[in-house]
Amino acid sequence: MSRTEIRITGFGGQGVVLSGYIIGRACAIQAGKHATMIQSFGPEARGSACSTMLAVSDTEVLYPYIGRPDVFVAMSTEGYDKYADELKDDGTLIYEQNLVHPTLKEGQPSFGVPSTRLAEQLGRAIVQNIVMLGFVAAVTKMVTHAEMRGAVEASVPPGTEALNLAAFDAGWDYYEQEYGDKKGEAAAAASSGA
Amino acid sequence: MKADPAGVLTGAHYLDGDFACGEGAMAAGCRFTAGYPITPSTEVVERISRRFPMMGGTFVQMEDELASMAAVVGASWTGTKSFTVTSGPGFSLMMENIGLAVMMETPCVVVNVQRGGPSTGLPTMTGQADMMQARWGSHGDYELIAMSPQSPQEAFDLTIDAFNLAELYRVPVLFMMDECVGHMTEKVVIPPADEIEIVPRKLTKSKPGDFEPYRANGQMVPEFARAGDGYRFHTTGLTHDERGYPEMSAECQDKLVRRLMDKINGNADKIVRFEEEDTDGADVVVLSYGITARVAREGIDLAREKGVKVGVIRLIVVWPFPEKRIRELAGTVKAIVVPEINYGQMVLEVERCAAGRCASVCVPHGGGGVHDPSDICDAIMGAVK
Amino acid sequence: MSEVIERAEALAEEHPVAPYLRMDRIPHIWCPTCGIGTVVKCFVTALEESKVDLDKTSIVSGIGCTGRVAGYMNLDAFHSTHGRAIPFATGLKLGRPELFVTVFSGDGDLSGIGGNHFIHAARRNMDILVVLVNNFIYGMTGGQNAPTTPLGAKSSTMPFGNFERPFNLPHLAATCGAVYVARWTSLHIRRLTKSFKEAIGRKGFRFIEVIAPCSTLYARLNKLGTGFNLMQFYHDSTEIRHGADTRDVGIDYQDEIICGKFVDEQRPTFLDMMHDQYRRTLGDKYVPMPQEGGHIHE
Ligand code: SF4
């Protein structure tokens, strides 16, 4: 019955919905779980706090919306401000560290990544969301590296696979370097920085 | 017959309800779509317009929903399976030519991705408040078929069924999604074309001289001739005789409208479709449809934990309504609890069928979201007190 | 009544247009000296002389006196809803592209309630022939004001004279993109027939306006005499001006009516444009709908 709720937010054009779509697809198709994604629509979807939510479960997802997410991914300040309070007290915060300056809470695992800079290093800032996705995949390990990578490959526009996979790897590797061996310590350090 | 592989995107996909519905239409053999953009339904035609050119289909974006529906009825008379897609405000405009489709006995499918109303209401947020409009929205007496999917997978599967029913009964089938299902992305498995059963447009074998477009021949559904095959038939929205000629008389009206209603009512046992679970010995039955049927199951679980025996009816075909079964159940349970995203529409049907033999409990939600499962649990608990 | 039927049967045998009409529906509902029947006769003659494949010809009407035309034609005939003949015809044409589709309806139906569809079908250059019989009034419902009622003319809802500016329909059609635009009166039998033939031979959105007497309502409400008097008026007051600037062909009350062919050009139709675009962008992947339609056979 384990159910994981995820909220991803950012500004319009950052690829928020695609990130959610890839995670959902990796869970539902590659990993054979149940994953329901709902994206925000209308003016909200175009503004600076665009958002998408996912409910992932081993059993059928009945209630499609999320209440208090277990994982919150923030790629813009406005999105962070709008949704930060929903995050479960022990939920995981993941953020673009050059764009979002979170107020870290005691006991809350949090992980920052300079995804925009990493994307720029690959030559295309537009793949920032995929760098972030690689990082999120590494932090949460909700599906395997291969499953999430497979979903990226299947979801991005044809011809852009190599770039996007490189972006995914950059995000994943960043996690391994910065937090990999000493995950607990890093999170604790991040929390105590609050 | 089996589906034309050209329209079938076999495989496991991660799709929202709107896209899945579009895929269902193409798999069902739909090759003409006329539409007008309206949130939250537009993704269906966006999907169609991207894929149609590769399978011999034509999409046209019309000037409004009046035109879209008229074009769909016109196209269907060529034998080309046709559908349109809309939401509340557009559904209101389509009512005119949905009536024409009923009167001319034109197979077609109309998808309504329901949002909050009345009027412009909540364009991007969910509702289920057009259920009675689906039944009664066009003027005059008539019967048609309406369905409601609870997931993107069903948006695919049931869209095919909707097209098949439209062909079998020569009637518009209204596909009553809700925004929540329409904009919800989940796994959708599309089977190979040779595993999808579709009902093709059956053309009359009569010779042109012998053919009368509305001669039912003891069947309830007359045979069909398409435009351009030399039958030179006449069809009209006026009350008409078997030749399709206008006849302004109470007798002709009675004969025609009675048959239009009987072809659905008389086949209701074949058309009605619902899921039933644990109703034997239940204290309360929860009846719901669409997204609410999923949310209700969480509320039902909560009530079961408190020891209440709760049965479930989930409507798949909403119109015609499963009158017979609801009448039976009304004699065995204390209450039928009906959560829906409106202030009480299908509950009126439950109340009518229950006829006072059990309580009918409305669990309303005004739209813009789905029920809190605990509200549904509370209603169940209240009903067994 | 039986006398009428006998007459109809006799007509069926001898009248040259009989094969094109549903003689079992004659007598028709139109008033004596109404102009609609004449327009139908001209259209039928044009069909015959153009040798079109009648099995592949569909006719669509809306609602109103002219809206009954489809009902009398021995073709695949659709008596649709008020104002929606053009979008209905659009569906027929796109559902089976080989069909020749004509819309036959009145001024109230096509330019009032159906005005939006009219301008958009012209804009798209939808490949249909639109015949609009303009009698300046709503006939079937009893003589109410129409979008074509001339300034000052009386109608049952403008009993003191119309004060709304009417449409100049040829100009409307031309500016929206119609490739063939002509206007005649029901007096111009030969010219109208020729115009029908010409339009049948063209492709795209073709528009022919035919001014015709509504003897029962328009003539009576305006004390213009009978249908015969109106024909007399057409005789005296029409001017044929082919190629006239459509801005100049508006109709004032009991004033000169400019007739003729105003527009005759060739432009790709909706379907031509669609095929070109898809072929250009999709190449071999593009699969157009077969000419005989998207009907999936068993
Ligand atoms: S009312 Fe006028 S337009 Fe109608 S049939 Fe009579 S004369 Fe013709």
Side-chain angles (χ1 to χ4, degrees):
Chain A
M1 258 301 273
S2 82
R3 174 173 163 129
T4 307
E5 297 186 350
I6 305 166
R7 158 101 58 198
I8 305 172
T9 176
F11 43 80
Q14 247 180 345
V16 170
V17 174
L18 180 62
S19 314
Y21 178 86
I22 293 173
I23 294 175
R25 182 179 181 135
C27 295
I29 311 288
Q30 269 77 9
K33 301 177 189 227
H34 294 266
T36 301
M37 182 188 91
I38 293 212
Q39 63 192 85
S40 60
F41 272 83
E44 208 193 332
R46 293 172 190 94
S48 47
C50 174
S51 128
T52 183
M53 44 184 156
L54 281 138
V56 181
S57 173
D58 297 331
T59 57
E60 193 184 345
V61 174
L62 295 176
Y63 190 85
Y65 296 103
I66 64 171
R68 299 203 60 189
D70 304 278
V71 178
F72 175 43
V73 181
M75 303 195 285
S76 75
T77 308
E78 290 81 353
Y80 172 79
D81 290 345
K82 187 165 176 188
Y83 297 109
D85 289 346
E86 312 176 325
L87 181 61
K88 271 188 190 153
D89 293 335
D90 60 349
T92 304
L93 172 68
I94 301 172
Y95 57 100
E96 204 312 354
Q97 66 185 30
N98 293 323
L99 296 176
V100 179
H101 304 286
T103 316
L104 299 171
K105 286 189 208 128
E106 192 86 27
Q108 181 151 70
S110 12
F111 303 88
V113 57
S115 46
T116 310
R117 188 170 52 77
L118 292 174
E120 281 163 359
Q121 282 169 5
L122 291 166
R124 293 296 305 275
I126 193 152
V127 293
Q128 180 278 137
N129 63 330
I130 306 297
V131 175
M132 176 58 90
L133 184 73
F135 185 72
V136 170
V139 172
T140 60
K141 304 279 185 336
M142 52 194 312
V143 295
T144 66
H145 179 265
E147 284 164 344
M148 192 70 87
R149 225 172 168 270
V152 170
E153 207 171 352
S155 307
V156 298
T160 68
E161 292 91 345
L163 173 67
N164 279 292
L165 289 175
F168 178 82
D169 292 342
W172 183 286
D173 292 348
Y174 184 84
Y175 171 83
E176 294 293 340
Q177 284 158 25
E178 298 296 315
Y179 304 93
D181 304 325
K182 42 189 174 95
K183 181 178 171 185
E185 281 170 51
S191 310
S192 64
Chain B
M1 69 180 271
K2 304 299 176 197
D4 170 9
V8 183
L9 200 67
T10 303
H13 307 272
Y14 197 54
L15 294 180
D16 73 9
D18 280 2
F19 279 0
C21 170
E23 288 299 334
M26 291 182 279
C30 176
R31 294 294 179 268
F32 178 78
T33 304
Y36 184 81
I38 185 167
T39 305
S41 73
T42 313
E43 290 86 346
V44 185
V45 291
E46 286 174 347
R47 184 86 178 184
I48 295 268
S49 56
R50 203 157 254 289
R51 303 234 305 119
F52 255 5
M54 270 72 87
M55 65 183 78
T58 298
F59 167 72
V60 57
Q61 184 171 318
M62 297 301 284
E63 50 276 12
D64 56 31
E65 289 90 347
L66 299 161
S68 302
M69 191 62 218
V72 162
V73 180
S76 184
W77 275 97
T78 67
T80 303
K81 289 191 188 179
S82 307
F83 92 139
T84 185
V85 178
T86 191
S87 186
F91 199 50
S92 292
L93 292 185
M94 286 180 182
M95 283 302 153
E96 174 189 69
N97 291 300
I98 288 173
L100 181 70
V102 167
M103 195 61 150
M104 286 184 166
E105 301 187 61
T106 314
C108 56
V109 173
V110 179
V111 178
N112 178 356
V113 187
Q114 295 174 85
R115 60 197 231 185
S119 189
T120 314
L122 296 169
T124 61
M125 299 169 98
T126 202
Q128 293 182 318
D130 306 344
M131 303 309 292
M132 281 294 170
Q133 187 187 17
R135 174 65 188 84
W136 301 105
S138 200
H139 54 277
D141 261 328
Y142 61 93
E143 293 283 343
L144 43 62
I145 299 171
M147 311 180 81
S148 173
Q150 66 162 355
S151 63
Q153 180 68 54
E154 274 198 353
F156 175 81
D157 296 336
L158 297 183
T159 298
I160 296 173
D161 296 340
F163 274 91
N164 287 346
L165 287 166
E167 295 298 327
L168 282 172
Y169 297 103
R170 284 188 64 176
V171 73
V173 176
L174 309 182
F175 199 67
M176 305 298 288
M177 281 221 272
D178 42 65
E179 184 275 342
C180 189
V181 170
H183 277 170
M184 164 200 285
T185 305
E186 288 185 342
K187 181 176 175 178
V188 175
V189 178
I190 300 183
D194 61 11
E195 287 173 23
I196 298 175
E197 203 54 52
I198 68 161
V199 178
R201 181 71 51 88
K202 233 176 93 197
L203 305 180
T204 181
K205 299 219 160 55
S206 303
K207 299 236 155 47
D210 305 334
F211 177 72
E212 288 184 349
Y214 295 101
R215 197 201 301 147
N217 265 338
Q219 308 283 302
M220 288 193 217
V221 185
E223 292 187 339
F224 184 87
R226 56 182 185 153
D229 280 354
Y231 285 87
R232 312 239 191 130
F233 56 82
H234 180 253
T235 176
T236 173
L238 286 169
T239 295
H240 47 268
D241 62 16
E242 295 188 336
R243 296 170 299 173
Y245 290 0
E247 193 186 317
M248 304 298 101
S249 73
E251 294 73 29
C252 187
Q253 168 78 358
D254 182 55
K255 193 172 168 210
L256 172 64
V257 180
R258 204 174 278 276
R259 182 176 62 73
L260 292 181
M261 302 195 39
D262 283 352
K263 74 176 177 180
I264 303 301
N265 289 334
N267 288 305
D269 283 347
K270 285 186 235 159
I271 302 168
V272 160
R273 199 163 139 201
F274 56 89
E275 259 174 19
E276 180 166 350
E277 179 195 306
D278 296 333
T279 48
D280 272 357
D283 303 316
V284 175
V285 163
V286 173
L287 178 144
S288 53
Y289 53 92
I291 188 60
T292 310
R294 285 169 63 159
V295 173
R297 276 165 59 196
E298 295 225 332
I300 291 165
D301 286 344
L302 294 175
R304 283 176 177 162
E305 280 164 24
K306 297 184 186 179
V308 185
K309 285 197 198 143
V310 189
V312 182
I313 297 271
R314 178 171 76 89
L315 303 180
I316 295 170
V317 167
V318 179
W319 301 113
F321 187 73
E323 300 183 357
K324 223 193 263 172
R325 186 63 190 132
I326 301 306
R327 281 204 189 95
E328 288 163 8
L329 281 174
T332 67
V333 301
K334 282 192 187 143
I336 299 176
V337 171
V338 187
E340 47 187 343
I341 308 176
N342 57 51
Y343 291 105
Q345 296 195 7
M346 297 312 291
V347 71
L348 298 174
E349 281 296 287
V350 172
E351 211 172 299
R352 181 175 70 80
C353 297
R357 287 183 304 140
C358 75
S360 309
V361 181
C362 169
V363 192
H365 188 300
V370 298
H371 289 78
D372 185 330
S374 67
D375 290 342
I376 297 172
C377 174
D378 291 349
I380 298 169
M381 300 312 292
V384 286
K385 261 205 208 112
Chain C
M1 188 68 189
S2 67
E3 203 180 306
V4 175
I5 290 168
E6 269 165 38
R7 259 195 14 232
E9 276 165 5
L11 203 65
E13 273 169 35
E14 69 202 14
H15 203 286
V17 302
Y20 296 87
L21 299 180
R22 296 182 188 277
M23 296 311 289
D24 52 352
R25 291 209 60 206
I26 304 293
H28 57 67
I29 63 157
W30 297 311
C31 310
T33 75
C34 169
I36 299 170
T38 313
V39 186
V40 173
K41 164 73 171 64
C42 295
F43 182 65
V44 162
T45 308
L47 279 182
E48 182 169 37
E49 292 177 6
S50 306
K51 309 225 166 355
V52 296
D53 181 353
L54 297 179
D55 285 348
K56 298 266 181 282
T57 303
S58 286
I59 185 160
V60 187
S61 288
I63 300 298
C65 293
T66 316
R68 291 304 184 95
V69 167
Y72 298 120
M73 298 290 294
N74 190 18
L75 300 166
D76 290 332
F78 301 90
H79 183 219
S80 67
T81 38
H82 197 15
R84 316 301 165 219
I86 287 177
F88 192 105
T90 297
L92 279 169
K93 180 69 194 174
L94 299 183
R96 188 164 185 175
E98 66 183 344
L99 296 182
F100 164 51
V101 183
T102 296
V103 167
F104 225 110
S105 220
D107 48 313
D109 187 77
L110 291 172
S111 77
I113 186 168
N116 196 33
H117 312 311
F118 181 88
I119 62 176
H120 286 281
R123 174 181 64 79
R124 291 184 189 106
N125 199 19
M126 193 52 66
D127 188 17
I128 55 178
L129 167 59
V130 175
V131 180
L132 182 152
V133 178
N134 182 359
N135 51 24
F136 305 131
I137 210 155
Y138 281 85
M140 179 78 72
T141 46
Q144 295 78 18
N145 217 70
T148 48
T149 308
L151 270 176
K154 286 183 181 145
S155 61
S156 70
T157 49
M158 287 274 195
F160 307 108
N162 171 38
F163 51 81
E164 276 188 28
R165 217 162 65 89
F167 267 139
N168 167 351
L169 291 172
H171 188 51
L172 179 68
T175 49
C176 292
V179 293
Y180 185 96
V181 179
R183 175 196 280 152
W184 300 102
T185 76
S186 58
L187 184 74
H188 295 93
I189 292 177
R190 279 211 320 280
R191 292 178 203 271
L192 175 60
T193 307
K194 183 167 165 249
S195 197
F196 278 143
K197 273 164 54 185
E198 218 167 59
I200 288 169
R202 302 285 192 275
K203 289 225 153 298
F205 188 87
R206 294 145 285 168
F207 174 66
I208 299 178
E209 180 187 22
V210 190
I211 310 295
C214 169
S215 41
T216 304
L217 293 158
Y218 184 73
R220 185 172 56 79
L221 288 167
N222 289 290
K223 302 194 169 50
L224 299 173
T226 64
F228 175 79
N229 297 103
L230 279 177
M231 295 291 262
Q232 188 73 49
F233 171 73
Y234 299 159
H235 179 265
D236 300 339
S237 311
T238 51
E239 185 198 324
I240 295 172
R241 216 193 286 169
H242 291 301
D245 186 331
T246 53
R247 279 176 296 190
D248 304 331
V249 305
I251 296 177
D252 288 326
Y253 181 59
Q254 287 301 92
D255 200 358
E256 184 187 55
I257 299 173
I258 298 167
C259 292
K261 179 170 77 177
F262 307 131
V263 177
D264 188 359
E265 41 190 60
Q266 277 189 320
R267 265 189 304 113
T269 66
F270 174 90
L271 282 174
D272 295 336
M273 300 280 284
M274 186 182 89
H275 294 320
D276 284 355
Q277 184 69 16
Y278 287 154
R279 278 202 191 101
R280 206 146 35 76
T281 51
L282 300 172
D284 294 343
K285 281 191 282 181
Y286 176 46
V287 181
M289 182 184 284
Q291 281 296 305
E292 69 135 357
H295 174 246
I296 293 172
H297 298 272
E298 260 177 286

